[in-house]
Amino acid sequence: MWLIIVPSLPSVDTLRDVRLQVPLRIYSADDQLMLEVGEQRRTPVRLHDMPENLRKAFLAAEDDRFYRHPGIDWRGTLRGVVLYARSMGRGRVPGGSTITQQVARRFFLSTEYSVTRKFREILLALKIEREMSKDEIFELYLNKEFLGHRAYGVGAAAQVYYGKTVDELTLAEMAMIAALPKAPSRDNPISGPRQAMIRRNWVLDRMLHLGYISETEHAEARAEANNARLHGPVRQLESDWVAEMTRRKIVDKLGAEEAYGGGYRAWTTVEAPLQRAAEQAIRDGLQAHDRRQGWRRPERQLDEAVLDDRETLQQQLASVRLVADLMPAVVLDSDDERAILLARNGEEVIIELEQLAWARPRLGPNALGSRPQAASDVLQPGDLVRLRPLEDGWRLAQVPLAEAALVSMDAESGAILALVGGLDFGRSQFNRATQSRRQPGSAFKPFVYAAAFDNGFTPASIVNDSPVVINDPSMEREWRPTNFSRQFHGPTRLREAMVHSRNLVSVRLLMNVGLEPSREHISHFGFERSDLPDGPSLALGSASLTPLSVNTGYAVFANGGYRVEPQFLHRVIDGNGRSVIEPLWQPVCRDCPEPREEVLDELPESNGQLDAPRRITLGEREDNAHPQELVGPTLPNPAPQVLSPQTSWLISSMLSDVITGGTGRRALSLNRSDLAGKTGTTNDLRDTWFAGYGGGVVTTVWVGMDDNQSLGRQEQGGRTALPLWVDFMAVALEGRPEVDMSPPLGLVQAQIDPDTGLRVRPGQVGAIQEWFHADNLPAIEDRDREQDDTDPFDIF
């Protein structure tokens, strides 16, 4: 047997390099844990970081002679042999396995019950002891051992059962964890509390007998009750949408098995305070909209016979899942003045009549009943409803019918600071911020205007706001666009048209510039050309776009004309701290040199030497078997400039006027002068938007129905989406200085006639100031042909 088994034993060197299965952990940019995912829960702990009493508890329970034997406890082994002989091999008997033998079995052997396997275990334990130190073996054991409820190792067990780290455990809790290896699935303090307590006290008795603890410590620990309960991973930040995006990216790169067990840690770009503000803004905004649509009905009716049975009620409430912050509750009683409810957390809540003023019955689309005159008009005993916690207590609520998405990013780098794809990730994993394609409506107009400004138009250009009939091939019918107000305003300056969102002006503007030149120009903002309709309806935002893509487009205006790619992942490192995934960033770099287009394919023929440095191609590098070491600073990888700073500033100037005098006036509550943005509302009030920026942060909000139904009468972008944007930006801009809005070189200011858009002479009554490209000033208005025609702006 010796000759057969010894040569087949595995190498102990593999133990030195063993990689424990550690779950994937995803963090925010400020180190807040967002997600932990993996089949095994494990938190490796170095032996010297474990409390001494925890180590002694395991020695007392499993192998008190561990530091004195050579890997095999001969007394225990002989005892096992005797018991095996007495049983005639008909069943399992205590085998006297040492900690070293258990390590050998866990890492290299099966759980087969046979003499041969036991003999291999003994020989392998002796081999391990010869090649590894006792502390190395003990540390492996304490981190590898299965301790129930998917917990592997003492670090995970401390978290799973007590929600603590190992250094925070009490003596009784350490003894409980040390008692688990014997039967971790059956006799743990949650699944089998009675047997677990018996085993724990036995471990404490052993520790006292071996002199590891004093009698006082023993008595206090034995008197401690079983306070274990199941603890999930300690998530410090609920950001399921970004966490899921990150998880998928890592799995696509590494594979599921490797990603979930390789101990990888990933850091995202989201900032915890901003992510929490985004989640709260979505919840508040959807509740505000839902209350305006009236009270629908209870989710269901419970049998009144069980209202006096609290235990049954709690069981039924426990089966109803939370949706966002909406707590299930059942109405116990109601009268004219109030209703009494039992919440899922066991709290009794009183809702007064005045708190139900909003709960007018919903009779149909855009139809509400009268205000309730009694609490019992809304709530009846047995009704299953929702409660929402506010600062001054609980309030009646309901799960909103509408959904919303918010995405916010740094305009200079593209780093996503916050992203929410819906009200509740658990209810629907569909990410509306990145997957939902909806029409942006008037929020798309700035892109149309930018194309016009780069094709000869100015903010002072006059376009007729009048009815038009167009044959739109993308709609396969004649199209008669109208303004939201159903009114027409005649000749209108483009700045005025943007501020008041005149639809017909945008349509005529697009047709004047040309559909194909406009589509080509707009595609430079990051939109796929195929996503842009081949018809004039494009002027009113008929393209189906995601909130993330709209936000990326607005970032071009916010940063002065550069297209930055949105990024949600900073980096991923493995268990050894090596970076394995690190996306390539293209931040704004205003001082970076323009990339050269020319590449020399061969050396000049004159003398075979280069007269100046040249750029080498990737093909040359691959063909060179011994490339020279690169020296000097790395070449910058800047974001491409897709819009001139002048046009970008003109658009921002107009969008700033939307805030101060247009549909975005609600944002004035932020008391900042660097805000710019645009509302968007589609036909029949199906989609509502607000996209804007300030302080270097660009944010887009969408609100709508998943089934594309109308949000209701008067539910426009300024009423639904803009309040969410304001609530979020109030947090996002806190402490951020205002961005300098000074015009760039290449722009000039001139006085114009507000009716004609033409320049006027100094001193003209009623003239207003407007900004222009220096090479695209409008003509001077000639009101008096006999006056001198000298152009005072010839200097430009």
Side-chain angles (χ1 to χ4, degrees), residues 150-166:
R150 293 176 52 222
Y152 288 79
V154 294
Q159 170 59 40
V160 167
Y161 295 114
Y162 301 108
K164 299 178 179 181
T165 57
V166 290

Side-chain angles (χ1 to χ4, degrees), residues 115-178:
V115 174
T116 302
R117 198 272 299 162
K118 191 68 176 180
F119 193 47
R120 288 176 60 87
E121 177 185 301
I122 291 172
L123 294 178
L124 186 55
L126 292 171
K127 185 176 182 180
I128 291 172
E129 288 271 352
R130 285 197 303 270
E131 300 185 27
M132 294 182 68
S133 70
K134 288 285 188 179
D135 283 352
E136 287 177 316
I137 298 169
F138 198 21
E139 182 176 303
L140 269 177
Y141 172 77
L142 292 174
N143 281 298
K144 176 72 173 178
E145 192 69 12
F146 175 58
L147 299 173
H149 289 284
R150 293 176 52 222
Y152 288 79
V154 294
Q159 170 59 40
V160 167
Y161 295 114
Y162 301 108
K164 299 178 179 181
T165 57
V166 290
D167 58 316
E168 297 172 330
L169 296 171
T170 66
L171 176 59
E173 292 166 347
M174 294 177 191
M176 180 67 82
I177 292 175

Side-chain angles (χ1 to χ4, degrees), residues 439-450:
Q439 294 181 347
S442 294
F444 191 78
K445 290 176 181 176
F447 306 114
V448 177
Y449 279 59

Side-chain angles (χ1 to χ4, degrees), residues 37-57:
V37 56
E39 184 178 345
Q40 299 180 5
R41 295 185 60 183
R42 179 182 276 112
T43 305
V45 184
R46 301 304 300 267
L47 187 65
H48 59 76
D49 292 328
M50 298 181 193
E52 183 179 3
N53 277 340
L54 179 61
R55 286 177 277 164
K56 288 180 176 179

Side-chain angles (χ1 to χ4, degrees), residues 662-703:
T663 54
R665 285 187 295 271
R666 188 186 293 262
L668 292 174
S669 62
L670 295 175
N671 295 317
R672 292 179 69 104
S673 61
D674 62 342
L675 301 179
K678 185 72 181 73
T679 56
T681 306
T682 61
N683 290 341
D684 300 325
L685 307 171
R686 291 190 178 98
D687 299 284
T688 59
W689 299 73
F690 190 85
Y693 46 90
V697 177
V698 56
T699 303
T700 296
V701 174
W702 166 85
V703 180

